Amino acid sequence: MVLALAEAEAAATRGEVPVGAVLVDSAGNLAAASGNRVELDHDPTAHAEMLVLRAGAARLGTARLAECDLWVTLEPCAMCAAAVALARLRRLYFAAWDAKGGAVDHGPRIFDQPTTHHRPEVYGGIDERRAVALLRAFFRDKR
C-alpha cells in the first residue's frame, strides 16, 4: 500500500484526485503502478486502477491477471470494479472506503451481482487513515 499511496501523492501534485494503484504479480513483483491521470490525459477512464490493469496486462502479455493482486488507495468505482472482475484478479486490497462512489462494499456492489463472472478476495481499510487524509487535504485545498 505504501507504493499506491506514493502514486496517490504524485497524482495530487499534478492536480489529480489522489488515488494510486499498483499491480503485483504472483511472485510479488511490481507489474505496474500509476496514479489517476483523468485531467492530464483528458480521459474519464484514466483512473489509477484502469491504468495499472492496462499496463500490467500489456507487460505480462495476458488479459487474465488471475495470479495478480491490485492495491489501491480508494474503494474502486463501478467501472474499475467491473474491470477487476474481467481481469480475474486474485485479490483486491484497498485503503479507504468510498460511500459515495465506491462499488465494492457500497453502491452497486459489483462483485455481489449474479452477472459478475469473477469475485476476487477483497480486503479494505488497509492504511485507511493515510488515504483519507490525502483525499481530505486535496479537496480542502480545492475549496
Side-chain angles (χ1 to χ4, degrees):
M1 190 59 74
V2 171
L3 294 174
L5 286 161
E7 291 291 338
E9 290 170 351
T13 64
R14 296 189 304 269
E16 300 281 353
V17 174
V19 177
V22 296
L23 185 69
V24 178
D25 69 18
S26 60
N29 299 312
L30 183 66
S34 186
N36 277 356
R37 289 198 329 238
V38 171
E39 303 302 327
L40 182 67
D41 293 355
H42 308 289
D43 179 357
T45 70
H47 292 195
E49 302 96 308
M50 299 296 288
L51 297 170
V52 299
L53 290 175
R54 289 177 192 142
R59 180 171 182 222
L60 298 172
T62 180
R64 303 290 180 260
L65 303 170
E67 297 300 315
C68 293
D69 300 333
L70 179 67
W71 295 76
V72 62
T73 60
L74 185 64
E75 178 183 351
C77 69
M79 172 183 67
C80 295
V84 165
L86 291 170
R88 311 290 199 272
L89 289 181
R90 177 175 57 180
R91 292 184 197 102
L92 167 65
Y93 300 92
F94 67 88
W97 278 272
D98 185 355
K100 183 177 179 183
V104 176
D105 285 337
H106 294 90
R109 294 185 163 102
I110 296 295
F111 303 136
D112 293 339
Q113 299 304 313
T115 55
T116 298
H117 299 295
H118 174 76
R119 176 184 170 79
E121 293 176 34
V122 176
Y123 303 93
I126 300 164
D127 212 351
E128 178 184 17
R129 286 186 203 160
R130 188 166 167 210
V132 168
L134 275 171
L135 288 160
R136 284 188 179 147
F138 176 81
F139 287 111
R140 182 186 60 240
D141 293 345
K142 287 286 184 190
R143 294 182 182 121

